[in-house]
Amino acid sequence: MELKEIIDKTLSYLQQEKVILYPTDTIWGLGCDAYSPKGIERIQQIKQRPLTKSFILLVASYEMLAQYVKVPTEVVAFLGEQQRPTSVIYTEVYDPHLPMAEDHSIAFRVVQDDFCKQLIEAFGRPLVSTSANISGQPSPTSFAQIDPKVQQAVDWVVPYHQENQTPTLASQLVMWQDGQLVYIRR
């Protein structure tokens, strides 16, 4: 299947509020439209995770990110210096319909991976991203490590990069708080 065909097929599932299993710029993730309560609820069921646990949302660019949260210039500068994909928790959120944490914060990552970038640009809105595992189990570092139960529970398994067995890492996670960046996960 050609990349454009894979993206088009994946878009059709996202537009129907379905859950996808897809390669991100870090580890394989479970995803859906960030505005889909139905999709988010399904992901929580698949992962068997508490409803209160928040998600990371993926966007294609800093311009897209700025539509949803206030992005301080210090954060953009910090992210430009990072070698590893980095998700940032923001506290000034413009859209109350996004899946925020209980404290009304939200984590975003601007993706670097070409497939993710093209998919999100074509979709035109953020994607939910969470590791493709049952809550409490180790995050799979390659497609081959994803539990078959998780693979069978989703609506669409993206047929891209599945053969890549190079271990990957989750993003580092920082929080922009009171004018400073605080590391949550390195």
Side-chain angles (χ1 to χ4, degrees):
M1 211 184 267
E2 295 291 322
L3 183 59
K4 182 179 179 350
E5 191 179 352
I6 292 170
I7 288 173
D8 289 346
K9 181 94 168 166
T10 304
L11 283 174
S12 72
Y13 281 92
L14 291 170
Q15 291 161 346
Q16 296 173 57
E17 298 186 72
K18 303 291 186 182
V19 174
I20 63 170
L21 174 59
Y22 68 119
T24 73
D25 56 339
T26 59
I27 59 178
W28 275 76
L30 296 174
C32 69
D33 179 352
Y35 287 96
S36 172
K38 179 177 147 186
I40 291 167
E41 185 177 322
R42 285 255 346 274
I43 288 174
Q44 289 168 320
Q45 290 169 352
I46 292 167
K47 285 188 67 78
Q48 301 171 25
R49 93 188 231 174
L51 298 175
T52 56
K53 195 158 183 204
S54 57
F55 295 102
I56 293 172
L57 303 185
L58 303 183
V59 291
S61 65
Y62 290 110
E63 294 77 24
M64 185 180 219
L65 176 64
Q67 295 174 35
Y68 302 102
V69 294
K70 181 178 180 184
V71 185
T73 55
E74 298 91 338
V75 171
V76 175
F78 169 79
L79 291 172
E81 297 168 356
Q82 300 308 299
Q83 299 299 311
R84 183 170 163 199
T86 302
S87 301
V88 179
I89 299 170
Y90 298 91
T91 55
E92 293 186 54
V93 182
Y94 300 143
D95 191 338
H97 298 98
L98 290 169
M100 291 184 272
E102 288 180 334
D103 66 358
H104 300 285
S105 67
I106 194 163
F108 275 97
R109 182 168 73 249
V110 178
V111 296
Q112 304 304 313
D113 175 78
D114 195 46
F115 167 77
C116 279
K117 193 174 284 240
Q118 287 183 47
L119 177 63
I120 295 165
E121 285 172 349
F123 191 51
R125 50 204 294 170
L127 291 183
V128 164
S129 184
T130 183
S131 57
N133 61 316
I134 307 286
S135 211
Q137 293 181 356
S139 297
T141 62
S142 68
F143 181 78
Q145 292 182 353
I146 299 171
D147 187 322
K149 290 180 206 162
V150 171
Q151 292 181 41
Q152 293 164 3
V154 301
D155 299 299
W156 170 244
V157 178
V158 173
Y160 189 71
H161 283 325
Q162 291 181 8
E163 70 291 339
N164 185 352
Q165 298 303 311
T166 306
T168 55
L169 293 172
S171 66
Q172 60 183 353
L173 181 64
V174 298
M175 181 171 201
W176 178 254
Q177 185 175 28
D178 302 324
Q180 294 186 20
L181 282 163
V182 178
Y183 280 90
I184 308 295
R185 175 183 70 216
R186 286 187 185 224

